[in-house]
Amino acid sequence: MTTPIPAEALRAVADAGHIVVLTGAGISAESGIPTFRDAIDGFWSQYDPRDLATPEAFARDPELVTRWYDMRRGMCAAASPNAGHQALVHLQQQVTARGGRFTLLTQNIDGLHQRAGSTEVVELHGSILRWRCATCAAHPQDLPMPLPSFPASCACGGHLRPGVVWFGEALPESALEAAVEAAAACDLFMSVGTSAVVYPAAGLIDLANDRGVATMEVNRDPTPLTGRVSWALTGCAGEVLPRLVTP
Ligand code: OAD
């Protein structure tokens, strides 16, 4: 179900001087990439994140963890950006053209915002496209798809790991700093396609809410944010975002 968009919400998007958008797995769902917490096809309905997305899991079973991330790397490479990603490219262009500021924060590791054309994307949870050695931190270039072995080895003898943030790891410092600064300065914060349960990303909207500036959610389903935003727009990101942003 897609709800009508109130005129004030459209005006807020059209007039804001600094828009921050925080995206989650929901925006890439229409590109065919499964979310994490959807009951039927979400990754965490089939797998325990403790077995796949923690440093302990990688230390215990690097083959399993590497295979899973390499499978997802292939999935991301095969996917294409959708109308939701494209609407955010238009929004960035429009806000910038009117002399405003636009900050795109994403928890996604799939690179689809950049492939759609968004620039200066702040990747809070890293990227599945960039891997590094878990021992010497070297960044291998032109990784073959799929990897030649599981786990794949670095020249130093260490194992390669995906450049993503695992549960129990800190977010990249510069990305978190940029996100906090933007959320504390914006006059419209939009939360798109995220269940808003994984911190610190889920707490960023409070830096806008606490200042009383406009906040908006675009999500197919209710989340803990739904009752706490100025406008909660129900529907798929690929349908709602293009209606918010007329090219
Ligand atoms: P989740 O899977 O937790 O949430 C996805 C949200 O998108 C849910 O609220 C869905 O209802 C909604 N949704 C699904 N399809 C949608 C669509 N087409 N349009 C709009 N909304 C849709 O994903 P995230 O919130 O991104 O971290 O998860 C946050 C973090 O938890 C991820 O970055 C990942 C995960 O575990 C790590 O792996 C560290």
Side-chain angles (χ1 to χ4, degrees), residues 96-170:
T96 312
R98 63 179 185 248
R101 191 174 158 205
F102 181 85
T103 311
L104 179 53
L105 315 174
T106 189
Q107 299 165 90
N108 298 344
I109 57 176
D110 55 33
L112 289 182
H113 284 304
Q114 291 90 333
R115 281 173 54 203
S118 290
T119 56
E120 297 177 58
V121 181
V122 178
E123 292 179 312
L124 291 167
H125 292 172
S127 169
I128 202 166
L129 308 175
R130 296 186 298 271
W131 289 51
R132 67 175 185 269
C133 174
T135 304
C136 73
H139 286 269
Q141 302 299 315
D142 303 322
L143 266 190
M145 180 100 70
L147 288 172
S149 61
F150 300 99
S153 297
C154 173
C156 82
H159 294 148
L160 298 186
R161 60 158 287 176
V164 303
V165 176
W166 282 327
F167 289 104
E169 291 185 322

Side-chain angles (χ1 to χ4, degrees), residues 24-143:
I27 196 168
S28 294
E30 290 155 88
S31 294
I33 300 178
T35 64
F36 295 95
R37 294 178 180 79
D38 279 314
I40 308 291
D41 61 355
F43 283 124
W44 299 156
S45 66
Q46 296 165 50
Y47 308 103
D48 186 331
R50 285 168 301 191
D51 293 335
L52 294 166
T54 63
E56 293 77 17
F58 182 65
R60 198 167 51 237
D61 194 342
E63 176 181 347
L64 174 75
V65 171
T66 314
R67 274 189 194 281
W68 189 66
Y69 277 95
D70 204 44
M71 177 274 289
R72 290 179 60 208
R73 184 169 68 107
M75 207 181 248
C76 295
S80 300
N82 64 55
H85 298 104
Q86 273 140 16
L88 293 181
V89 176
H90 293 140
L91 185 58
Q92 179 168 31
Q93 287 164 349
Q94 285 174 12
V95 176
T96 312
R98 63 179 185 248
R101 191 174 158 205
F102 181 85
T103 311
L104 179 53
L105 315 174
T106 189
Q107 299 165 90
N108 298 344
I109 57 176
D110 55 33
L112 289 182
H113 284 304
Q114 291 90 333
R115 281 173 54 203
S118 290
T119 56
E120 297 177 58
V121 181
V122 178
E123 292 179 312
L124 291 167
H125 292 172
S127 169
I128 202 166
L129 308 175
R130 296 186 298 271
W131 289 51
R132 67 175 185 269
C133 174
T135 304
C136 73
H139 286 269
Q141 302 299 315
D142 303 322
L143 266 190

Side-chain angles (χ1 to χ4, degrees), residues 3-16 188 216 230-231 233 243-244 246:
T3 47
I5 301 180
E8 307 81 60
L10 288 168
R11 253 197 312 276
V13 174
D15 294 348
L188 173 62
M216 183 182 294
S230 315
W231 302 282
L233 307 179
R243 288 164 56 220
L244 276 173
T246 348

Side-chain angles (χ1 to χ4, degrees), residues 177-197:
E177 271 173 24
V180 167
E181 184 279 321
C186 68
D187 53 3
L188 173 62
F189 189 107
M190 299 168 62
S191 177
V192 178
T194 173
S195 58
V197 295

